[in-house]
Amino acid sequence: MTTKTKLVKRIFSSLLTAALAVPMTALTAHATGEAFFYPPKNPVMTDQQFEVSVTFSADSEIGSVQANIAYDDSVIEFVSSDNASGGGGVLTVNGFPDTPSSEVDFSFTFKGLSAGNANISLQSCQIYSPDSELIGSPTAYCVITVGRDKVETKTETETTTTTEKTTTTTTKTAPSNGIPDKGVLTALTVDNGELSPAFAYNVYNYTVNVDNSVTNVEIEGTTASPSDYIWYTGTSECQVGENVRTITVTDVDGNATTYTVTIIRAAGGDEQQSQTVQKKDSSDTSSAVSKNANVMDQYKKMLNTALAIVLIVLVIALVVIIIWIRGKIKGGKKDK
């Protein structure tokens, strides 16, 4: 086999390998990333230090995480963290897993300053792969409730055998209106739509229907006692379909009550908040099918592009082979 023949075959093999690699690259799915806050499970008091952790996860190996964390510095104060710096309401997070992993946890120490609710939210987050490719930009938040000291009342009683008064300290159990004085919500509001059914402290499941134009719904709960701890899960951002939010109230004795709010965002702008859950379920199914169809269309376009590239490469290779064969024929004639 001549040197020219070897060279042509080598070029053809390289072009064919590169062409076949194109559709494989085009069909590779992009990785995604998520983030979740984990606040303390027990109530937080003023001047008490507590930890909040956040877990970053992905469907591929994480190389590093960069993000900002915003918090209400009028209610809580940042103390320390191995992976964050800052203060005054904003932290800068920069860290990476100690070992190769698709999940990494960071912890932050705060201190309660004054009674109230403090929002802690993840902003400008980027999760990168070990090759510095962006995996995802998730958002997350939680609410920390800082309460005062345990509520106590003093009652005076007189004995029948002496004129001296003794003072007994007791803890409230329930006020005269029948609503417990701790461990429950006394009010629950949303800034878009209406709760269905109407709020009651002993009703734990609610539905809120909103138009397609509503992309954000804030939920605010009021606890029966300032010492109750309140924990929200879910995000205020609303996707089309069902968006489940929970509000858990924990009293000083560790007893927890959970309220669930399902926010249903309509699939079309002309749909009204009064649509039924049955219509919404049908809309959700149509939306899912539409999304799947869009994904398939994108992959078909990428595959068509890749096949076109393969065809062009094969044509070029064929032309090269034809030119080489014609050269060999001409060379043979000259030899004769």
mmCIF file of all heavy atoms in Angstrom, residues 75-106:
data_model
loop_
_atom_site.group_PDB
_atom_site.id
_atom_site.type_symbol
_atom_site.label_atom_id
_atom_site.label_comp_id
_atom_site.label_asym_id
_atom_site.label_seq_id
_atom_site.Cartn_x
_atom_site.Cartn_y
_atom_site.Cartn_z
ATOM 1 N N VAL A 75 -33.614 41.459 61.854
ATOM 2 C CA VAL A 75 -34.173 40.403 62.692
ATOM 3 C C VAL A 75 -33.100 39.397 63.106
ATOM 4 O O VAL A 75 -33.087 38.918 64.233
ATOM 5 C CB VAL A 75 -35.328 39.677 61.962
ATOM 6 C CG1 VAL A 75 -35.900 38.555 62.816
ATOM 7 C CG2 VAL A 75 -36.428 40.670 61.601
ATOM 8 N N ILE A 76 -32.172 39.068 62.183
ATOM 9 C CA ILE A 76 -31.108 38.117 62.480
ATOM 10 C C ILE A 76 -29.762 38.711 62.093
ATOM 11 O O ILE A 76 -29.686 39.623 61.255
ATOM 12 C CB ILE A 76 -31.317 36.763 61.755
ATOM 13 C CG1 ILE A 76 -31.357 36.976 60.235
ATOM 14 C CG2 ILE A 76 -32.557 36.077 62.252
ATOM 15 C CD1 ILE A 76 -31.478 35.672 59.453
ATOM 16 N N GLU A 77 -28.704 38.190 62.688
ATOM 17 C CA GLU A 77 -27.341 38.673 62.431
ATOM 18 C C GLU A 77 -26.452 37.507 62.001
ATOM 19 O O GLU A 77 -26.493 36.429 62.614
ATOM 20 C CB GLU A 77 -26.765 39.320 63.699
ATOM 21 C CG GLU A 77 -25.331 39.791 63.558
ATOM 22 C CD GLU A 77 -24.782 40.324 64.866
ATOM 23 O OE1 GLU A 77 -25.426 40.082 65.913
ATOM 24 O OE2 GLU A 77 -23.713 40.976 64.842
ATOM 25 N N PHE A 78 -25.653 37.717 60.950
ATOM 26 C CA PHE A 78 -24.718 36.690 60.505
ATOM 27 C C PHE A 78 -23.544 36.615 61.466
ATOM 28 O O PHE A 78 -22.976 37.636 61.851
ATOM 29 C CB PHE A 78 -24.220 37.010 59.086
ATOM 30 C CG PHE A 78 -23.129 36.096 58.614
ATOM 31 C CD1 PHE A 78 -23.362 34.745 58.393
ATOM 32 C CD2 PHE A 78 -21.842 36.587 58.413
ATOM 33 C CE1 PHE A 78 -22.359 33.907 57.956
ATOM 34 C CE2 PHE A 78 -20.833 35.759 57.975
ATOM 35 C CZ PHE A 78 -21.082 34.408 57.739
ATOM 36 N N VAL A 79 -23.175 35.373 61.846
ATOM 37 C CA VAL A 79 -22.072 35.159 62.785
ATOM 38 C C VAL A 79 -20.842 34.611 62.073
ATOM 39 O O VAL A 79 -19.772 35.221 62.100
ATOM 40 C CB VAL A 79 -22.496 34.219 63.931
ATOM 41 C CG1 VAL A 79 -21.315 33.971 64.882
ATOM 42 C CG2 VAL A 79 -23.674 34.805 64.700
ATOM 43 N N SER A 80 -20.978 33.459 61.396
ATOM 44 C CA SER A 80 -19.810 32.864 60.756
ATOM 45 C C SER A 80 -20.217 31.773 59.779
ATOM 46 O O SER A 80 -21.333 31.254 59.838
ATOM 47 C CB SER A 80 -18.849 32.272 61.799
ATOM 48 O OG SER A 80 -19.469 31.195 62.481
ATOM 49 N N SER A 81 -19.267 31.411 58.896
ATOM 50 C CA SER A 81 -19.429 30.304 57.969
ATOM 51 C C SER A 81 -18.085 30.020 57.319
ATOM 52 O O SER A 81 -17.299 30.936 57.069
ATOM 53 C CB SER A 81 -20.470 30.608 56.886
ATOM 54 O OG SER A 81 -20.505 29.573 55.923
ATOM 55 N N ASP A 82 -17.819 28.750 57.051
ATOM 56 C CA ASP A 82 -16.568 28.374 56.384
ATOM 57 C C ASP A 82 -16.610 28.656 54.892
ATOM 58 O O ASP A 82 -15.566 28.688 54.233
ATOM 59 C CB ASP A 82 -16.279 26.877 56.595
ATOM 60 C CG ASP A 82 -15.966 26.544 58.044
ATOM 61 O OD1 ASP A 82 -15.530 27.462 58.776
ATOM 62 O OD2 ASP A 82 -16.181 25.384 58.444
ATOM 63 N N ASN A 83 -17.803 28.865 54.359
ATOM 64 C CA ASN A 83 -17.937 29.017 52.909
ATOM 65 C C ASN A 83 -18.561 30.335 52.488
ATOM 66 O O ASN A 83 -18.953 30.491 51.331
ATOM 67 C CB ASN A 83 -18.777 27.867 52.340
ATOM 68 C CG ASN A 83 -18.216 26.511 52.672
ATOM 69 O OD1 ASN A 83 -18.692 25.853 53.594
ATOM 70 N ND2 ASN A 83 -17.189 26.090 51.943
ATOM 71 N N ALA A 84 -18.691 31.285 53.429
ATOM 72 C CA ALA A 84 -19.329 32.550 53.090
ATOM 73 C C ALA A 84 -18.695 33.690 53.868
ATOM 74 O O ALA A 84 -18.108 33.499 54.941
ATOM 75 C CB ALA A 84 -20.828 32.496 53.376
ATOM 76 N N SER A 85 -18.810 34.875 53.321
ATOM 77 C CA SER A 85 -18.335 36.087 53.982
ATOM 78 C C SER A 85 -19.307 37.213 53.677
ATOM 79 O O SER A 85 -20.082 37.147 52.721
ATOM 80 C CB SER A 85 -16.921 36.452 53.485
ATOM 81 O OG SER A 85 -16.934 36.692 52.088
ATOM 82 N N GLY A 86 -19.254 38.243 54.495
ATOM 83 C CA GLY A 86 -20.133 39.385 54.274
ATOM 84 C C GLY A 86 -20.866 39.776 55.533
ATOM 85 O O GLY A 86 -20.440 39.474 56.646
ATOM 86 N N GLY A 87 -22.001 40.399 55.363
ATOM 87 C CA GLY A 87 -22.803 40.889 56.475
ATOM 88 C C GLY A 87 -23.700 42.013 55.991
ATOM 89 O O GLY A 87 -23.723 42.345 54.798
ATOM 90 N N GLY A 88 -24.454 42.588 56.905
ATOM 91 C CA GLY A 88 -25.331 43.686 56.533
ATOM 92 C C GLY A 88 -26.455 43.282 55.611
ATOM 93 O O GLY A 88 -26.975 44.110 54.866
ATOM 94 N N GLY A 89 -26.822 41.996 55.626
ATOM 95 C CA GLY A 89 -27.945 41.551 54.816
ATOM 96 C C GLY A 89 -27.570 40.750 53.583
ATOM 97 O O GLY A 89 -28.458 40.199 52.929
ATOM 98 N N VAL A 90 -26.269 40.669 53.239
ATOM 99 C CA VAL A 90 -25.853 39.936 52.041
ATOM 100 C C VAL A 90 -24.594 39.130 52.337
ATOM 101 O O VAL A 90 -23.630 39.654 52.895
ATOM 102 C CB VAL A 90 -25.585 40.879 50.849
ATOM 103 C CG1 VAL A 90 -25.119 40.073 49.645
ATOM 104 C CG2 VAL A 90 -26.828 41.661 50.497
ATOM 105 N N LEU A 91 -24.601 37.844 51.959
ATOM 106 C CA LEU A 91 -23.438 36.973 52.088
ATOM 107 C C LEU A 91 -22.979 36.536 50.703
ATOM 108 O O LEU A 91 -23.794 36.308 49.801
ATOM 109 C CB LEU A 91 -23.766 35.730 52.918
ATOM 110 C CG LEU A 91 -24.285 35.954 54.338
ATOM 111 C CD1 LEU A 91 -24.569 34.601 54.995
ATOM 112 C CD2 LEU A 91 -23.284 36.741 55.162
ATOM 113 N N THR A 92 -21.675 36.396 50.545
ATOM 114 C CA THR A 92 -21.105 35.867 49.302
ATOM 115 C C THR A 92 -20.626 34.446 49.563
ATOM 116 O O THR A 92 -19.793 34.221 50.440
ATOM 117 C CB THR A 92 -19.934 36.732 48.818
ATOM 118 O OG1 THR A 92 -20.404 38.060 48.575
ATOM 119 C CG2 THR A 92 -19.346 36.162 47.534
ATOM 120 N N VAL A 93 -21.171 33.501 48.819
ATOM 121 C CA VAL A 93 -20.863 32.086 49.006
ATOM 122 C C VAL A 93 -19.955 31.617 47.876
ATOM 123 O O VAL A 93 -20.220 31.891 46.701
ATOM 124 C CB VAL A 93 -22.147 31.237 49.028
ATOM 125 C CG1 VAL A 93 -21.814 29.764 49.222
ATOM 126 C CG2 VAL A 93 -23.080 31.719 50.123
ATOM 127 N N ASN A 94 -18.888 30.922 48.233
ATOM 128 C CA ASN A 94 -17.970 30.369 47.242
ATOM 129 C C ASN A 94 -17.364 29.099 47.823
ATOM 130 O O ASN A 94 -16.605 29.157 48.785
ATOM 131 C CB ASN A 94 -16.872 31.379 46.892
ATOM 132 C CG ASN A 94 -16.115 30.986 45.643
ATOM 133 O OD1 ASN A 94 -16.152 29.829 45.220
ATOM 134 N ND2 ASN A 94 -15.423 31.944 45.042
ATOM 135 N N GLY A 95 -17.711 27.934 47.274
ATOM 136 C CA GLY A 95 -17.207 26.692 47.829
ATOM 137 C C GLY A 95 -17.279 25.555 46.838
ATOM 138 O O GLY A 95 -17.756 25.715 45.705
ATOM 139 N N PHE A 96 -16.808 24.398 47.258
ATOM 140 C CA PHE A 96 -16.782 23.223 46.396
ATOM 141 C C PHE A 96 -16.793 21.975 47.274
ATOM 142 O O PHE A 96 -16.464 22.035 48.471
ATOM 143 C CB PHE A 96 -15.540 23.235 45.511
ATOM 144 C CG PHE A 96 -14.259 23.468 46.268
ATOM 145 C CD1 PHE A 96 -13.573 22.422 46.865
ATOM 146 C CD2 PHE A 96 -13.760 24.760 46.416
ATOM 147 C CE1 PHE A 96 -12.404 22.646 47.567
ATOM 148 C CE2 PHE A 96 -12.592 24.993 47.126
ATOM 149 C CZ PHE A 96 -11.908 23.934 47.710
ATOM 150 N N PRO A 97 -17.192 20.814 46.720
ATOM 151 C CA PRO A 97 -17.218 19.576 47.522
ATOM 152 C C PRO A 97 -15.801 19.158 47.930
ATOM 153 O O PRO A 97 -14.843 19.369 47.187
ATOM 154 C CB PRO A 97 -17.838 18.547 46.565
ATOM 155 C CG PRO A 97 -18.512 19.351 45.505
ATOM 156 C CD PRO A 97 -17.717 20.610 45.368
ATOM 157 N N ASP A 98 -15.692 18.562 49.109
ATOM 158 C CA ASP A 98 -14.391 18.059 49.562
ATOM 159 C C ASP A 98 -13.959 16.837 48.758
ATOM 160 O O ASP A 98 -12.765 16.599 48.561
ATOM 161 C CB ASP A 98 -14.454 17.700 51.053
ATOM 162 C CG ASP A 98 -14.701 18.924 51.924
ATOM 163 O OD1 ASP A 98 -14.277 20.029 51.510
ATOM 164 O OD2 ASP A 98 -15.317 18.794 52.983
ATOM 165 N N THR A 99 -14.925 16.057 48.306
ATOM 166 C CA THR A 99 -14.651 14.881 47.480
ATOM 167 C C THR A 99 -15.588 14.924 46.275
ATOM 168 O O THR A 99 -16.627 15.599 46.321
ATOM 169 C CB THR A 99 -14.881 13.583 48.267
ATOM 170 O OG1 THR A 99 -16.243 13.559 48.747
ATOM 171 C CG2 THR A 99 -13.924 13.490 49.444
ATOM 172 N N PRO A 100 -15.260 14.239 45.173
ATOM 173 C CA PRO A 100 -16.149 14.241 44.003
ATOM 174 C C PRO A 100 -17.560 13.821 44.379
ATOM 175 O O PRO A 100 -17.775 12.757 44.944
ATOM 176 C CB PRO A 100 -15.488 13.229 43.065
ATOM 177 C CG PRO A 100 -14.040 13.251 43.441
ATOM 178 C CD PRO A 100 -14.016 13.463 44.925
ATOM 179 N N SER A 101 -18.525 14.677 44.097
ATOM 180 C CA SER A 101 -19.898 14.413 44.500
ATOM 181 C C SER A 101 -20.855 15.259 43.670
ATOM 182 O O SER A 101 -20.472 16.305 43.127
ATOM 183 C CB SER A 101 -20.088 14.723 45.993
ATOM 184 O OG SER A 101 -21.439 14.578 46.377
ATOM 185 N N SER A 102 -22.101 14.805 43.582
ATOM 186 C CA SER A 102 -23.147 15.581 42.919
ATOM 187 C C SER A 102 -23.961 16.379 43.927
ATOM 188 O O SER A 102 -25.005 16.928 43.584
ATOM 189 C CB SER A 102 -24.082 14.632 42.141
ATOM 190 O OG SER A 102 -24.701 13.717 43.025
ATOM 191 N N GLU A 103 -23.484 16.458 45.182
ATOM 192 C CA GLU A 103 -24.192 17.195 46.230
ATOM 193 C C GLU A 103 -23.183 17.812 47.188
ATOM 194 O O GLU A 103 -22.155 17.206 47.499
ATOM 195 C CB GLU A 103 -25.132 16.259 46.977
ATOM 196 C CG GLU A 103 -26.016 16.936 48.007
ATOM 197 C CD GLU A 103 -27.021 15.974 48.618
ATOM 198 O OE1 GLU A 103 -27.983 15.607 47.921
ATOM 199 O OE2 GLU A 103 -26.832 15.590 49.777
ATOM 200 N N VAL A 104 -23.480 19.032 47.644
ATOM 201 C CA VAL A 104 -22.593 19.701 48.588
ATOM 202 C C VAL A 104 -23.445 20.504 49.573
ATOM 203 O O VAL A 104 -24.454 21.105 49.185
ATOM 204 C CB VAL A 104 -21.581 20.617 47.861
ATOM 205 C CG1 VAL A 104 -22.284 21.679 47.030
ATOM 206 C CG2 VAL A 104 -20.616 21.259 48.839
ATOM 207 N N ASP A 105 -23.064 20.499 50.857
ATOM 208 C CA ASP A 105 -23.782 21.208 51.919
ATOM 209 C C ASP A 105 -22.913 22.316 52.495
ATOM 210 O O ASP A 105 -21.731 22.101 52.764
ATOM 211 C CB ASP A 105 -24.175 20.246 53.051
ATOM 212 C CG ASP A 105 -25.105 19.153 52.579
ATOM 213 O OD1 ASP A 105 -26.029 19.475 51.826
ATOM 214 O OD2 ASP A 105 -24.896 17.995 52.954
ATOM 215 N N PHE A 106 -23.519 23.491 52.708
ATOM 216 C CA PHE A 106 -22.856 24.602 53.376
ATOM 217 C C PHE A 106 -23.697 25.012 54.582
ATOM 218 O O PHE A 106 -24.926 24.980 54.529
ATOM 219 C CB PHE A 106 -22.700 25.809 52.444
ATOM 220 C CG PHE A 106 -21.849 25.540 51.232
ATOM 221 C CD1 PHE A 106 -22.092 26.185 50.041
ATOM 222 C CD2 PHE A 106 -20.803 24.626 51.290
ATOM 223 C CE1 PHE A 106 -21.315 25.936 48.927
ATOM 224 C CE2 PHE A 106 -20.018 24.371 50.187
ATOM 225 C CZ PHE A 106 -20.274 25.028 48.993
#
